[in-house]
Amino acid sequence: MTERGDTAAAEELATGLPGPTRPRWVVIHWTPEALGLVRAIAAAEPAPELTLIGPAPAEAVAAALAELPAGHVQKYWQGSASGGVEALARFFADTAGLPAADAIIVLPLRGHGETDAFSRLVCTAILRACKGKPPHVVVAVEDPEATHEFEGLGVATIFYPGFLRAALLAHACVDLGAFRFMLALLGGRLRVETWPVPPELRAGTFREACLNVEVDRRGRPVTLIGLFAPGEGGPDAMLLSPPPARPLRDASALLVLTGEAE
């Protein structure tokens, strides 16, 4: 991976908290489409200092980066992994400084062949750059069945569409917002609802439902987290995070995490 440009380092934000430095996170495969993720990280306390690595030229992302809090993004690097794992590992170690990071998020790089295989190559390079002891690494995968392919690469958490909040809770990954999420849920700003199974999904699977049930009637994002189905010889039972291939033909309702309560 070779440098093509970077943003100027902005004046560092004062956290008001003890400690010599702010935590530093690195987001790999970042594009302006993931601006919401960066905004969410900016709300953490203390606000992490971010290094972003993505495929677009620096001038192409300048407008998006200008919308972020001053000092939140320390560097933006553009590059490619066409040189192979060893070259990528050297870039991560010598230029991007991954061994000194507190956390690394690997997003899917779409439009470049097999997405999850590309992310696996990146995680291999991270492991080598950090000499087998990477910081907290979180990877977003496209296919849930690809998760086992990251074994042995030092990945702490893997998530995929429709299951991010459940993954955060299951892994107690507080540095990615699970604690804030639980407070929002307990405080009433989020709630769980039961929705009927759409007729067009009745012959489908839970995975298909996750990909199709995305917004409420007001267009706000929602997350499908489970379903209700007949229990063993009894009434319907709640099933959280069922297998993606679980059929919906006998489900009586879907369990949906909504946005802010009305």
Side-chain angles (χ1 to χ4, degrees), residues 44-126:
E45 291 292 343
E49 184 179 84
L50 278 179
T51 294
L52 305 178
I53 301 173
E59 56 271 19
V61 301
L65 293 176
E67 299 180 22
L68 300 172
H72 183 48
V73 175
Q74 182 195 38
K75 291 279 187 181
Y76 173 81
W77 302 100
Q78 184 213 359
S80 72
S82 57
V85 173
E86 293 301 331
L88 187 59
R90 287 194 298 270
F91 170 84
F92 283 160
D94 302 334
T95 305
L98 264 61
D102 296 288
I104 300 171
I105 302 172
V106 181
L107 300 176
L109 182 62
R110 297 181 176 87
H112 291 73
E114 190 174 342
T115 301
D116 293 335
F118 200 85
S119 295
R120 188 169 64 251
L121 180 150
V122 168
C123 290
T124 301
I126 292 172

Side-chain angles (χ1 to χ4, degrees), residues 57 62 85 114 130 192-193 214:
V85 173
E114 190 174 342
C130 299
V192 176
E193 297 180 341
E214 298 181 314

Side-chain angles (χ1 to χ4, degrees), residues 215-234:
V215 296
D216 63 12
R217 62 182 181 277
R218 295 177 59 184
R220 297 173 299 186
V222 301
T223 298
L224 183 59
I225 61 175
L227 52 80
F228 284 89
E232 295 183 4

Side-chain angles (χ1 to χ4, degrees), residues 31-256:
T31 62
E33 286 75 17
L35 195 61
L37 170 67
V38 177
R39 285 188 179 127
I41 293 174
E45 291 292 343
E49 184 179 84
L50 278 179
T51 294
L52 305 178
I53 301 173
E59 56 271 19
V61 301
L65 293 176
E67 299 180 22
L68 300 172
H72 183 48
V73 175
Q74 182 195 38
K75 291 279 187 181
Y76 173 81
W77 302 100
Q78 184 213 359
S80 72
S82 57
V85 173
E86 293 301 331
L88 187 59
R90 287 194 298 270
F91 170 84
F92 283 160
D94 302 334
T95 305
L98 264 61
D102 296 288
I104 300 171
I105 302 172
V106 181
L107 300 176
L109 182 62
R110 297 181 176 87
H112 291 73
E114 190 174 342
T115 301
D116 293 335
F118 200 85
S119 295
R120 188 169 64 251
L121 180 150
V122 168
C123 290
T124 301
I126 292 172
L127 189 67
R128 295 185 185 181
C130 299
K131 300 187 185 303
K133 296 181 179 180
H136 192 97
V137 179
V138 178
V139 179
V141 298
E142 293 281 278
D143 183 0
E145 296 181 1
T147 57
H148 70 279
E149 299 175 6
F150 291 82
E151 292 180 6
L153 296 181
V155 175
T157 304
I158 296 175
F159 65 86
Y160 45 96
F163 292 82
L164 175 55
R165 291 183 176 89
L168 290 172
L169 289 173
H171 292 275
C173 191
V174 295
D175 57 334
L176 289 182
F179 186 63
R180 286 175 172 269
F181 162 70
M182 288 187 286
L183 287 180
L185 186 62
L186 294 172
R189 290 189 290 113
L190 298 173
R191 67 183 186 276
V192 176
E193 297 180 341
T194 54
W195 289 9
V197 180
E200 64 271 19
L201 294 177
R202 177 61 68 181
T205 64
F206 185 69
R207 173 182 171 81
E208 293 175 74
C210 287
L211 296 175
N212 285 275
V213 179
E214 298 181 314
V215 296
D216 63 12
R217 62 182 181 277
R218 295 177 59 184
R220 297 173 299 186
V222 301
T223 298
L224 183 59
I225 61 175
L227 52 80
F228 284 89
E232 295 183 4
D236 284 359
M238 180 189 302
L239 183 59
L240 293 175
S241 294
R246 207 276 187 198
L248 298 178
R249 55 180 174 268
D250 63 342
S252 58
L254 300 176
L255 198 62
V256 179

